[in-house]
Amino acid sequence: MNKLKSINLQVYIMLIAIVVIMSFFSFATDGAYLSARNISNLLRQTSITGILAIGMVFIIISAEIDLSVGSLMGLLGGFAAITNVWWGWPLSLTILVTLALGLMLGAFNGWWVAYRKVPSFIVTLAGMLAFRGVLIGLTNGTTVSPISSEMIAIGQGYLADSLGMILGSIAICCFIAWASYQRKARQSLNLEVMPFSQQGLKFALVAILILGAIYLLNTYRGVPFPVLLLALLTVIGTFLARKTAFGRHIYAIGGNIDAARLSGIKVEKVKLIIFSLNGFLVAIAGLILSARLGAGAPSAGQNAELDAIAACVIGGASLAGGIGTIYGVVIGAFIIALLDNGMSMLDVPTFWQYIVKGAILLLAVWADTLSKKKA
């Protein structure tokens, strides 16, 4: 119960931080920060970091780390651009091969960590250097462009207004049905449940938030496709982490790897799957990145691993392992996008942007350390 309250407190703190940040930048930009166009851009910025953070949080929960995701995203995005521009592959084949390659390279990292017992910091640091080198070699150090309009739609496409509202309504209905099912299941076991009035208020707030966001985005061009993909992956990742045996095994390994092994969990196999899953998600992010840029670039994805790790830490994941939520890291990615976008709109020098993000990451880790000491 104390752990649940701690998680809820972290969510409330992050939500308050979002309100404060958005209020400040809205005032500083005379309201331009909260325009429909900028909100749409904000959410598209969040999508890439958010997808990377979903894969990263599983690794961090298992008490490992992956420093190679930025370079791997650049490599896979560059590979997709090469197959599209230079080799003339159909989009479906480009997507399938890129995703398969991401899965394989993620598994390669996981094999070294799980079965060769090489520390993940070293394995992925080597990967960060090697993947960047392969990317530069494949592209000959040049930008690969222009990619096809079909591929560009992956990163720059929008849903039709009516379709966005329909999908939003379906999502709300699914949320209410799932919450009601869980409520009945807890009642059948004589477990404590949220008061009905409080749960009804929660449903109303979720509906207002989802439909309000879709309405706002529709006043510009509609819901960006990458945002829809991030929402879908967030739901799948949350279900995987909280409602499956595999998810519980990840938390068990991060909490106490020896106890997990003694309880019969196949630690090496789980770690291999985690890194493979991470590689698959990096491939998705790489496709979106190249589609958004309209090209594959040798410098694409630089420092993206730092944003992903920062999103996880800000979102409540512990670098010591065993703690973290999917929705928390997505909120963390949104906070990073808020800061990046706001400072860019105010023309804050790049070096100050790095300093601010570094300070926030340090404070988040410090807060996590303090919470462990109190516990």
Side-chain angles (χ1 to χ4, degrees):
M1 183 62 70
N2 290 333
K3 183 178 179 180
L4 181 60
K5 289 181 178 179
S6 176
I7 292 174
N8 289 333
L9 178 61
Q10 289 175 347
V11 173
Y12 293 143
I13 291 174
M14 285 189 291
L15 294 178
I16 292 172
I18 289 173
V19 172
V20 171
I21 293 171
M22 295 185 77
S23 299
F24 170 77
F25 284 122
S26 178
F27 175 78
T29 59
D30 295 325
Y33 189 74
L34 294 181
S35 66
R37 178 177 181 177
N38 194 56
I39 294 297
S40 178
N41 186 46
L42 261 173
L43 293 175
R44 281 192 290 119
Q45 282 182 259
T46 303
S47 62
I48 294 176
T49 303
I51 292 171
L52 290 179
I54 291 173
M56 182 69 75
V57 73
F58 283 116
I59 290 178
I60 289 178
I61 290 172
S62 68
E64 302 290 354
I65 197 71
D66 190 343
L67 301 178
S68 68
V69 294
S71 295
L72 182 56
M73 178 175 68
L75 172 59
L76 294 172
F79 172 79
I82 288 173
T83 60
N84 183 263
V85 178
W86 291 353
W87 300 350
W89 286 10
L91 181 60
S92 58
L93 181 59
T94 292
I95 293 175
L96 287 175
V97 174
T98 301
L99 294 178
L101 192 58
L103 194 69
M104 291 172 55
L105 292 175
F108 178 76
N109 280 343
W111 180 79
W112 281 100
V113 174
Y115 292 98
R116 298 295 92 191
K117 308 302 180 185
V118 181
S120 57
F121 180 89
I122 299 300
V123 171
T124 58
L125 178 61
M128 179 179 71
L129 300 173
F131 295 150
R132 183 64 59 183
V134 173
L135 172 60
I136 294 173
L138 284 177
T139 61
N140 295 319
T142 61
T143 299
V144 181
S145 65
I147 63 175
S148 66
S149 58
E150 292 83 2
M151 185 171 174
I152 287 177
I154 297 175
Q156 301 183 24
Y158 297 87
L159 298 180
D161 293 0
S162 57
L163 180 58
M165 280 295 181
I166 291 172
L167 292 178
S169 300
I170 292 174
I172 293 170
C173 292
C174 291
F175 174 77
I176 294 175
W178 177 252
S180 300
Y181 168 77
Q182 286 188 310
R183 180 185 180 87
K184 291 180 180 179
R186 290 182 65 85
Q187 286 177 330
S188 66
L189 297 173
N190 295 320
L191 297 175
E192 183 181 357
V193 296
M194 184 183 298
F196 188 78
S197 59
Q198 187 177 348
Q199 191 165 37
L201 178 61
K202 181 180 179 180
F203 291 158
L205 290 175
V206 169
I208 292 172
L209 180 63
I210 293 176
L211 294 180
I214 293 174
Y215 176 80
L216 177 63
L217 292 172
N218 283 347
T219 60
Y220 178 54
R221 290 185 178 178
V223 178
F225 178 75
V227 176
L228 176 64
L229 190 56
L230 173 62
L232 181 61
L233 291 174
T234 300
V235 172
I236 295 173
T238 300
F239 179 82
L240 185 65
R242 299 179 61 180
K243 300 299 179 181
T244 66
F246 176 71
R248 291 190 289 272
H249 290 171
I250 297 174
Y251 282 95
I253 291 171
N256 190 321
I257 190 170
D258 292 326
R261 184 174 278 109
L262 290 173
S263 67
I265 296 174
K266 297 179 180 179
V267 174
E268 289 75 17
K269 180 180 178 180
V270 171
K271 286 190 176 184
L272 180 65
I273 295 174
I274 293 170
F275 276 91
S276 301
L277 177 63
N278 182 57
F280 183 81
L281 291 172
V282 171
I284 295 176
L287 286 166
I288 294 175
L289 178 62
S290 289
R292 184 180 174 189
L293 296 175
S299 60
Q302 283 186 341
N303 297 324
E305 63 278 352
L306 302 182
D307 282 344
I309 294 171
C312 291
V313 175
I314 293 172
S318 173
L319 293 176
I323 299 174
T325 60
I326 303 300
Y327 61 84
V329 303
V330 173
I331 295 174
F334 184 57
I335 291 175
I336 291 176
L338 287 174
L339 292 169
D340 283 341
N341 183 270
M343 289 188 290
S344 295
M345 289 185 70
L346 294 177
D347 290 326
V348 176
T350 304
F351 71 90
W352 273 116
Q353 295 186 32
Y354 281 118
I355 292 172
V356 170
K357 289 166 66 176
I360 291 174
L361 177 59
L362 179 61
L363 289 174
V365 174
W366 178 57
D368 177 58
T369 303
L370 287 180
S371 66
K372 286 182 172 56
K373 288 182 179 179
K374 290 180 181 180

